[in-house]
Structure formats: structure tokens, C-alpha cells
Amino acid sequence: MKSHAKAVVIGGGVVGCSVLYHLAKAGWTDIMLIERSELTSGSSWHAAGGFHTLNGDPNVAKLQAYTVQLYKEIEEISGQSCSLHLTGGVMMADTPERMDFLRLAHAKGRYLGMDTELITPSEAKAMFPLMDETNFVGAMWDPVEGHLDPSGTTHAYAKAARKLGAEIVLRNRVVELTQEVDGTWNVVTEQGTVKAEHVVNCGGLWAREIGRMVGVELPVLAMEHMYLLTEPMPEVEEFNKSTGREMIGVLDFKGEIYTRQERNGILLGTYEKACKPWSPVNTPWDFGHELLQPDIDRIAPSLEIGFKHFPGIEKAGIKQIINGPFTFALDGNPLVGPVQGLTNFWCACAVMAGFSQGGGVGLALSNWMVHGDPGFDVWGMDVARFGEWATLRYTNAKVRENYSRRFSIRFPNEELPAARPAQTTPLYDTMLANNAVMGDSWGLETPLWFAPKGSEPKDIVSFHRSNDFGPIGEEVRATRERVGVTEIANFAKYEVSGPGAEDFLNRLMTNRMPKSGRIVLTPMLNEFGRLIGDFTIAKAGPRGGEDRFMIWGSSAAQKYHMRWFEKHLPKDGSVRIHRFDQTLVGLSIAGPKSRDLLQKLVDVDISTKAFRFMDFREMAVGGAPCMVNRITYTGDLGYEIWMAPAYQRLVYKAIKEAGEEFGLVDFGMRALLSMRLEKNFPTWFRELRPIYGPFEGSMDRFIKLEKNDFIGREAAAKEQAEGPKLRRVSFIVDAADADVMGDEPIWAKVGGKDYGTVEKPHGYGAPRFDAGGNEVRGSNAAEGASAVRGIVDGDWRVVGWVTSGGYAHYVEKSMAQGYVPAALAENESAGLFEVEILGHRRPARINVEPPFDPSGEKMRT
């Protein structure tokens, strides 16, 4: 074993071997993988080996598609068969609600280039005759599903990596990780110490223990997972013989089971409600190629439904029950990327669907390590998406919930209860007393809407407009016509200070920094000119003669942004960053009476001239020391008021008492989001994401190319000069009883004219970087394919995709935002666009000017 390496990958499962292969393929050959036992000694060896491309997050789906495409490549390089069986598969819906879910999934597949098809239960039965089709109302067919040999596939990655120059060391446990002052890692193993520039945690079942070696408690938990194998079945053999094909894979939502052919029998697995964690505190190092004791009673309810739905399986003998541990994160997606607060320590763990996602994870992580960016929008897998609230016990509860719901529908207005409440503000009990329906916002309890007095504060979950529709409308109208108050503690809050603070922020942000007492809105770009942040920045009064800036952003991106800030901090200590999290909370008042209300609570002049739009001031509100921004996300006259938690109840009480004469109402986050639609305001991680440029995102007025050489300036200047290929637009949609939720396809009547509309919006199937580190867009054959089922219909063509939307209650319009080719972005013609909602294409029209206060006069008054 050598003593030095550029990168050490810890863990020899399918993910670790994929990361090793992709690093070697990217040109890093001074790399090694260290495995405590043999390859596949954790979860990989006993996996069911299924793969598919469908995922609730289109960006994860894209990487799953890449994974499936990759298998032929590694077979050719390694000479090792993956035993690939591309059978196709169906997802079965037994209720109208589950059929709506499949319509949503099928619609997403349109712009991702997935060749899915909605079919009848009888058509599904023809491909899997063991089912009783009368139990179902419909199905979705996906030809890119199948199964493979887990061990063979893992060894194919490993052999391919070795051929490209990588080293693999087996039977050698990592026992300690330490870091030198210069950032070099000491990877201490049973066979000696390796000095490495980078360390990658691909520990699988032991990822939590590897994380603890560097002081990180990763939010992962292993769950027992069971599947059974039947004895050979005559029905299977007859089907194979008569058709010349294998039986397809089937996913049954009601039964929470999946099935596929295994040799001459059937494999049937389940994600049962009565799930069981495995080793919830510590993972024993001596666990290896063992299985856990089967517990068929625990999965009996699922089997009972499964045998009813698939009576052909019930009479088959059970040959074996496999019960083994698999590691999950809180939401079921992987944990990938650099860990905030550490240097060159990377994660690629909790990849429970390793044979669907392992290749994509390896590609994204290798891009990130070699080129500085994953090359894809991987927020759904980013290790930074969870905060400090994701403790061991929180994780245990949330993973159990996620596992038990793996085949359950998640409705757009559904809030899941496990591990809540985790974080609360001082107003939590007050909000509950006001009949608030609370939601989870990055671990924080946040009011979503307020149920009428005497009614139960509870969402009726649905894909259609639900019981919150009327109350949200009342909140919006009262705020627009009088004044409303809402809690905004769920914003991210930072202070940047020091003699180098302004230069630092000018280097990171695209807009000029504000003068003292003023506010600016500004995006932040990465080196490739992609949007990685959107902030409100105020210049506060100096402290100790040093500049001081307050910054507000997306709460869910706090660790994501801190990682970026820390990466670019000057080494001389001239800049300090403090993340407040819940040590600073806030309230916002908005509406035409908001100035009158606030004036009653302060002892300074806040008239239009004295306290202008986009002003910042520190003042006492209701007797409490506060910071006040004259700005709100409602796009109306309004104020954001920030205070220490100790003062929040005092300020809220003062606002409520002073607001009585003005008809003050409480409003929640859903009303706020409804009002932002009326102003065409974007949201972070929906409209603004790392796959879009600033001009694509229609952020033109905040990009000051002439101010200085900020990060991403050169790429942004190129985008402006060449013109963006896409543009963010706002639509008014002729919706029925359901509004858009995000990720719906946008159709346009463009005849045979090609606007580049079939380029997949998420770089589907194509890495962003070539071997030389150059950006590549649309170069992959799969990305340029023009004859994909379902994206062309006569003169109509899928030209874009919805990012978010809903009902704009004050203007009484269903609205959506999304991306379309730039050549179509200002065409407000009726009859040109349609947006697909739950399988129905609804007329839509671009609305260039916001329907509420298009001139912006109200918020500037």
C-alpha cells in the first residue's frame, strides 16, 4: 500500500467503486480505495439489484438515467459482465389519486426525454400475467427499468477503475482520520497511514462512523429490508417460452411492494409500515457478509395485499427470504458533496438505490472534486441540505417515516409529522392558539395558513385545490386591502463584518453593495456563471470602525451558502461571517396600512421621505431593539422587522394591538407565496437554481458586469453577449380545480419550427464537463434526440417546464413560472401555450408584466 494519494475513497461498495472509476476517468490516477473487508461487504452484495430512472426530483432522475446508460461502458472497459436485464417495468395505480400521481410522473418524463406511457391494467397484465388487473385503475410503463447482478456490477466498476490506474486495498479498516495544518489528511488504517489531499466517505453502513472520525454526525440510519424469492413457477417458464421475454418489473403502491422475475421464479420485496431500524446508534465493524433474521410477520400485511393483487404468486413456494440492512437519509436521497466546515472531506453515502443512482453519484462527485462543480443540479442529493437539527434521534424518527412511506404518494400540501416539532420560535404556541396550520421549514415550525375559528387546523391533502384555498384567499385580500402580519423566522440570516467585508461581498455578488442604511437585492454565481444564491443585503452601521453587512437568504441553503462563503474567505482574517439561524427571528407587516401601523410602534419618522423603499434602519419597535427593512416579499408596501428571540413576543403583541384599528390579519407562508406570484417574483431552488444563468433567470437588472471582476462575471458576460437560450417567464393559466405544483411540461403551438425545445432542461444524461474541464451542454446524443414519445403532438411541442406556481388570490388567476426558449419568452399571444396539469393540457398565456401593481408604485409609496 502506498503512503501518499491525491484522493482516498473509503468503502468498497457499488458507490465507492463508482466514485473511484469516475475520478480515474476524469484523469486522477493517484487515487486509492480502502475497504475494511471485501468489495460489496456491506449492502451491495445482498441488494435486489433493480434499477430505474424515475425519481420525484427530475435532477436525480437525470443522474439515474446516466447510471443505466453507463453499464455497457464499464462492461466494455472492465471485461466484467453486469448481467444486465433491461426488462422494463410498470407502476400500478389502484385509486384515482395514485393515477393522478402517475400522470404527474409521466408529464415530468416528457421534458426529461423518458419514454414512459400511461397504459391500462389489461395492458400491464399482458406483460405480467400473474396480476389480477381488476384491482387497478391504470398504470405507467417505463421501458428503462430492469435488474442486474450487484456483485458483478460492483466488480465491473472496480476493474474499470484499476485499468485506468486506480489502486484498491482490501481487508484494511480505516481506524482514524486527522488533518494537518496544511489541509493534508492522515488516513490511518490497520496497515499504515496514507497521506491524502482528499478523503471521500463512501462508507455505506459505516458512513456514520467515518463521519464521526471528523466530528460530523451524518443524518443516516440503516433499516432492515426484506425481499423473498419464490421457487420456480410454471407460469413464469411458460411466459418466457411463449413470448421469448422476461417478465417485467412491477411496483404496487397499495401493497408497498415491488416484484420482478428472478431466474424461473419471482422476487418480491416490500417497504412495510412496521419497519425496523438496524443498529440505530453504532454500526459494528465486524458485521460482514451476514444476513439478518427474517421476520415474515412484519411484512405479512403487505404480502396479504400483494397476494390479492398478484394471485399467481400466492401459490408459489418461498425458496428464501433475504433480510439485510440498507442505509437511508431523512428523505431517501443520497448525501453527496463537500462537508461544510471541513476541507476536502467529501461524502457519497446513503445511496440506498445504489444500482439506480451509483453511477450518477460517482459522476457528479468526480466533477465536483476535479472541476469544482458537480456539473448538474444536485441539490436533492447535497449533503448540505440538512441542518444541525438533524440529530441522531431526529434522523431515526424521520428515516423510519420515509421508509414506511417509500411507495406512498406525497401530496403537494402534505406535511409529514415525524420528529416534529424540532425547532420553534417564541410564537409557536401563539400561532397554534390562532388556529395556524404549521409546516416544517428546514426543521423550523412555520405558519402555513390560518384555519377559521371553530374549524380544525388541518390540511386535507390533495393534488387539487383543498380546504386551505378559501382561508388563504381571505388572508391575501385582507393584506392587500388593509394590513397583514406574518412570521419570517424561516429566512437565513448572516452578518458579514470586518475591514475586508465590502470587497469580499463585491467579489461574491453580482450587484453593487449598498451604501450605509440601504438595501440591495443580488444574485450570486459560481465560476461557470450559474445561479447559486439570491440575497437581500443591507449595510448596517459600522461597529468598531469596521464595515458591517446584514444578509438574508433561503433558510434551506444555509449550510450550502456557508460552505461557499468559507471557501472564499480571505486568509488574512479581514472578514468574519456569523450565521444567526434562530438566534435572530422576524416578523413582516405588509399592505397599504402597514406604515400607519408601524408608525404607532416607533419613535422616529418613517414617512415616505424619511424611510424610503429599500432603506434599512435599526430602531426600537414596540419598545424592543430591532432592525427594520423597508421591503417585503409580497411586493406591496411593507416592512421586515428583525429581533432577538427574547423580544419577538413583545413585538408581535404590540403589532396585534396597534393593528386592531386597521383590520390587521395574520397570514401564513402560503399566502405570502401566492402574493409573490402576482409580482412575478422568483423563488430560490425553484426558479433560481445552479443550472440556470442569471439572464436565463431574468435577473438582468441585478447583474452589474461593469462593477468589478466578481465570481462568474466572465461567463455571465458571455451569456449576455450571446443571448440566453432560455428565459424565466410567468404564465396565467386557465386552470380548472388544480393548479401547477412544479415540473409540469409547457407546450407551445410552434408547428415544425425548432426552438431547440428538446434539449433537456436538466442536461439529461450528459456530463457538463469534458475531459479537459470544459463545459459541455447538449452534446450528448440522448440530449439531442428529437423523436421522444410524448413531446410532439401535431403542431404542438414541449418547449419548457414549470418551476413553481399556484393560485394568485388577489388577481384571481392561476399562475405559473417556468422556462421556455428565449425566442418565445415575450410572446403574450393567446393560444400559443398550454401547461399540462394532472394529464390535462390547459391554455396558458405569458404575462410579461406582473398582474399586481406592474409599475411597483405601491411598494415604493
Side-chain angles (χ1 to χ4, degrees):
M1 183 179 72
K2 58 187 179 185
S3 60
H4 292 76
K6 187 172 185 67
V8 169
V9 177
I10 303 173
V14 64
V15 175
C17 291
S18 172
V19 169
L20 190 73
Y21 167 71
H22 282 92
L23 285 174
K25 184 180 177 182
W28 283 16
T29 55
D30 181 21
I31 55 177
M32 63 190 306
L33 181 149
I34 300 176
E35 161 58 39
R36 51 174 279 282
S37 182
E38 307 291 338
L39 297 182
T40 76
S41 291
S43 298
S44 296
W45 76 273
H46 60 73
F51 61 81
H52 54 88
T53 57
L54 192 68
N55 188 284
D57 185 327
N59 302 288
V60 177
K62 158 208 64 184
L63 290 175
Q64 292 182 186
Y66 167 81
T67 300
V68 177
Q69 295 168 10
L70 182 66
Y71 289 133
K72 289 184 180 179
E73 175 184 314
I74 61 172
E75 282 184 329
E76 291 173 1
I77 294 174
S78 67
Q80 167 74 50
S81 172
C82 296
S83 191
L84 200 65
H85 296 251
L86 191 63
T87 62
V90 291
M91 304 174 75
M92 305 301 300
D94 66 305
T95 64
E97 290 78 14
R98 289 191 172 102
M99 199 62 217
D100 278 344
F101 173 79
L102 292 185
R103 291 188 183 99
L104 285 170
H106 176 58
K108 290 179 184 180
R110 290 193 195 279
Y111 67 78
L112 286 171
M114 295 174 65
D115 198 17
T116 61
E117 183 181 357
L118 298 177
I119 63 175
T120 66
S122 295
E123 289 174 305
K125 180 182 176 66
M127 294 181 280
F128 195 83
L130 302 176
M131 74 169 64
D132 177 358
E133 75 277 20
T134 63
N135 291 295
F136 304 103
V137 299
M140 186 177 76
W141 160 253
D142 181 0
V144 189
E145 289 191 16
H147 59 96
L148 45 67
D149 172 26
S151 179
T153 302
T154 304
H155 280 87
Y157 278 121
K159 289 179 179 179
R162 281 194 180 108
K163 286 192 173 184
L164 294 175
E167 179 181 349
I168 296 177
V169 180
L170 303 178
R171 296 174 292 280
N172 184 31
R173 182 165 71 89
V174 173
V175 297
E176 187 180 13
L177 294 169
T178 62
Q179 196 169 29
E180 304 289 350
V181 175
D182 65 358
T184 302
W185 286 98
N186 296 310
V187 184
V188 183
T189 78
E190 293 172 331
Q191 297 177 18
T193 298
V194 181
K195 289 193 173 294
E197 183 179 337
H198 298 265
V199 172
V200 187
N201 179 3
C202 298
L205 293 175
W206 295 269
R208 184 176 50 189
E209 277 64 32
I210 300 298
R212 288 169 180 168
M213 291 180 184
V214 296
V216 174
E217 186 67 36
L218 291 171
V220 297
L221 176 68
M223 301 293 294
E224 294 190 14
H225 179 68
M226 277 181 280
Y227 63 87
L228 59 85
L229 303 173
T230 73
E231 299 284 357
M233 297 174 59
E235 299 94 327
V236 174
E237 295 175 353
E238 173 58 30
F239 179 85
N240 298 158
K241 182 179 178 180
S242 63
T243 65
R245 295 184 286 108
E246 270 189 84
M247 284 191 175
I248 62 171
V250 179
L251 189 155
D252 176 10
F253 289 110
K254 174 69 172 178
E256 295 159 338
I257 58 176
Y258 59 90
T259 71
R260 66 165 175 84
Q261 183 174 335
E262 174 69 15
R263 299 185 183 274
N264 295 325
I266 292 294
L267 180 152
L268 185 150
T270 177
Y271 286 88
E272 69 280 2
K273 296 293 185 187
C275 55
K276 183 179 179 182
W278 177 76
S279 204
V281 178
N282 298 289
T283 306
W285 288 105
D286 59 355
F287 184 80
H289 278 79
E290 299 117 294
L291 290 172
L292 307 177
Q293 183 68 32
D295 183 1
I296 198 167
D297 290 339
R298 199 168 76 241
I299 63 174
S302 293
L303 294 180
E304 184 178 348
I305 297 172
F307 293 153
K308 178 185 176 184
H309 289 185
F310 306 97
I313 302 176
E314 182 177 15
K315 57 188 177 184
I318 297 176
K319 180 172 66 175
Q320 186 179 11
I321 299 178
I322 307 294
N323 186 18
F326 287 89
T327 303
F328 293 76
L330 311 183
D331 56 4
N333 275 341
L335 299 175
V336 179
V339 175
Q340 187 251 320
L342 298 175
T343 305
N344 291 342
F345 185 85
W346 306 81
C347 276
C349 53
V351 190
M352 60 75 49
F355 296 98
S356 292
Q357 300 171 342
V361 166
L363 173 65
L365 191 65
S366 66
N367 277 341
W368 214 334
M369 295 174 69
V370 175
H371 303 300
D373 185 87
F376 302 90
D377 182 354
V378 298
W379 172 249
M381 301 191 297
D382 197 320
V383 68
R385 70 188 185 274
F386 299 117
E388 292 82 0
W389 37 269
T391 61
L392 186 66
R393 291 191 179 190
Y394 182 98
T395 296
N396 192 311
K398 214 66 184 173
V399 169
R400 288 189 199 204
E401 178 183 64
N402 177 267
Y403 183 98
S404 69
R405 291 179 48 88
R406 182 151 182 83
F407 290 158
S408 299
I409 295 172
R410 177 74 182 269
F411 291 94
N413 64 334
E414 185 172 14
E415 294 288 328
L416 302 182
R420 293 176 56 195
Q423 297 182 89
T424 60
T425 71
L427 291 180
Y428 176 66
D429 292 340
T430 302
M431 293 295 110
L432 292 181
N434 290 348
N435 232 24
V437 177
M438 306 297 286
D440 179 355
S441 177
W442 210 59
L444 177 70
E445 295 296 313
T446 300
L448 298 176
W449 60 283
F450 292 84
K453 290 183 179 179
S455 64
E456 184 182 8
K458 181 180 179 180
D459 278 313
I460 297 175
V461 296
S462 176
F463 288 119
H464 301 261
R465 293 172 187 165
S466 189
N467 62 321
D468 63 347
F469 188 81
I472 291 173
E474 291 297 320
E475 293 170 24
V476 169
R477 286 184 288 273
T479 300
R480 288 282 193 230
E481 294 168 5
R482 304 189 302 274
V483 60
V485 58
T486 191
E487 192 171 21
I488 52 173
N490 61 328
F491 288 25
K493 292 87 60 176
Y494 315 87
E495 182 184 76
V496 177
S497 60
E502 185 156 355
D503 289 342
F504 170 72
L505 291 174
N506 263 318
R507 172 69 176 146
L508 263 61
M509 307 295 172
T510 66
N511 206 346
R512 297 184 183 90
M513 288 304 99
K515 296 179 180 179
S516 184
R518 293 289 289 165
I519 296 168
V520 298
L521 306 177
T522 178
M524 183 169 71
L525 308 179
N526 63 18
E527 296 96 331
F528 307 98
R530 300 295 169 192
L531 289 161
I532 60 168
D534 181 43
F535 300 99
T536 300
I537 300 182
K539 188 171 186 180
R543 181 183 295 140
E546 295 182 346
D547 283 342
R548 184 166 62 100
F549 293 85
M550 291 297 301
I551 303 178
W552 292 269
S554 168
S555 62
Q558 288 183 59
K559 301 196 82 171
Y560 174 86
H561 286 142
M562 282 298 293
R563 187 172 63 194
W564 185 258
F565 294 156
E566 291 169 356
K567 178 180 178 180
H568 295 282
L569 277 174
K571 305 298 184 186
D572 60 6
S574 61
V575 179
R576 296 180 298 278
I577 298 179
H578 174 67
R579 176 166 74 96
F580 288 96
D581 202 10
Q582 292 311 308
T583 63
L584 185 68
V585 295
L587 296 163
S588 178
I589 57 173
K593 297 294 184 181
S594 58
R595 178 186 289 113
D596 296 336
L597 191 164
L598 184 60
Q599 187 63 79
K600 295 182 65 176
L601 302 179
V602 300
D603 301 314
V604 295
D605 182 7
I606 59 167
S607 62
T608 303
K609 291 183 178 179
F611 196 35
R612 301 165 295 166
F613 176 61
M614 301 291 278
D615 268 359
F616 165 89
R617 188 175 299 177
E618 297 183 78
M619 63 178 79
V621 178
C626 296
M627 294 179 286
V628 182
N629 296 333
R630 210 202 121 174
I631 187 175
T632 78
Y633 197 39
T634 66
D636 214 324
L637 173 65
Y639 307 85
E640 294 174 352
I641 307 167
W642 302 95
M643 71 290 294
Y647 295 110
Q648 191 186 30
R649 293 174 71 92
L650 172 64
V651 175
Y652 178 75
K653 183 173 182 290
I655 289 172
K656 292 286 282 186
E657 290 176 351
E660 283 189 22
E661 68 175 279
F662 303 112
L664 175 75
V665 298
D666 288 288
F667 68 94
M669 190 56 55
R670 290 181 185 167
L672 180 64
L673 293 175
S674 172
M675 287 185 274
R676 70 94 185 176
L677 288 173
E678 300 173 337
K679 291 294 294 179
N680 292 358
F681 288 166
T683 58
W684 181 243
F685 283 129
R686 295 302 302 181
E687 284 72 45
L688 308 179
R689 297 184 73 120
I691 51 174
Y692 306 124
F695 298 100
E696 288 180 325
S698 301
M699 304 294 283
D700 310 39
R701 67 186 184 277
F702 306 119
I703 314 300
K704 309 300 183 185
L705 294 173
E706 70 283 359
K707 78 179 179 78
N708 71 305
D709 187 23
F710 57 84
I711 295 172
R713 181 191 176 280
E714 184 177 341
K718 182 180 179 182
E719 182 192 356
Q720 184 190 50
E722 295 178 353
K725 295 180 181 179
L726 305 169
R727 289 289 276 190
R728 174 178 63 87
V729 295
S730 182
F731 287 97
I732 292 176
V733 184
D734 182 14
D737 67 338
D739 304 295
V740 301
M741 290 160 268
D743 298 324
E744 293 89 351
I746 299 169
W747 295 78
K749 193 175 183 179
V750 295
K753 191 167 183 180
D754 187 355
Y755 288 96
T757 56
V758 294
E759 248 190 68
K760 308 306 176 292
H762 305 282
Y764 190 80
R768 182 169 289 170
F769 301 104
D770 62 21
N774 301 308
E775 184 179 12
V776 177
R777 295 187 81 186
S779 65
N780 187 283
E783 189 173 46
S786 60
V788 178
R789 183 200 303 267
I791 67 169
V792 178
D793 177 16
D795 289 339
W796 290 87
R797 188 181 185 89
V798 172
V799 298
W801 57 96
V802 169
T803 50
S804 71
Y807 195 78
H809 286 269
Y810 194 67
V811 299
E812 298 183 332
K813 303 289 184 185
S814 182
M815 297 191 69
Q817 291 191 35
Y819 281 82
V820 299
L824 294 173
E826 295 188 4
N827 192 329
E828 296 184 274
S829 301
L832 176 61
F833 292 102
E834 293 178 344
V835 173
E836 187 171 343
I837 302 176
L838 296 177
H840 301 284
R841 285 158 53 181
R842 309 295 304 182
R845 179 175 55 82
I846 284 180
N847 201 63
V848 174
E849 295 295 330
F852 176 78
D853 189 29
S855 68
E857 178 183 353
K858 292 182 182 294
M859 60 186 177
R860 291 179 171 85
T861 300

